[in-house]
Amino acid sequence: LDPIQGVLAIGRALRAGGGDPDAVLAAVAEAVRAATGFRGICIDRHRPAWDDFETVLLEGDDAIRERLLGTTTTWAQYGEVLQ
């Protein structure tokens, strides 16, 4: 998947998704993975009710997906990583 095809896939997901953000996120993750050459992409979604982040999508290795999908991260944990 070259970068242009990735962008087109995002557009298709937006049109066909019927408002499903997961389909769009999956297309974005795959496009980023293809464009960067990364082995995996992880997307976390902010959960305002708990003020944390849940891992909702992983593109790449199945073992990593099984380990991380559904896990949560706090703002403090992100702060440690981003410093």
Side-chain angles (χ1 to χ4, degrees), residues 3-83:
I4 297 298
Q5 292 300 317
V7 171
L8 293 174
I10 294 168
R12 284 191 295 275
L14 284 167
R15 286 190 305 280
D20 179 16
D22 293 334
V24 176
L25 287 177
V28 169
E30 180 55 32
V32 170
R33 189 167 78 121
T36 62
F38 292 166
R39 293 186 326 200
I41 298 292
C42 175
I43 295 181
D44 291 354
R45 185 179 294 155
H46 183 245
R47 302 185 317 166
W50 295 275
D51 199 26
D52 67 0
F53 301 88
E54 179 183 13
T55 301
V56 296
L57 188 133
L58 278 135
E59 281 290 328
D61 187 83
D62 289 338
I64 294 172
R65 182 181 303 111
E66 289 176 21
R67 182 172 168 233
L68 294 178
L69 198 60
T71 62
T72 57
T73 307
T74 65
W75 281 102
Q77 290 169 309
Y78 268 113
E80 292 172 11
V81 173
L82 297 175
Q83 288 184 354

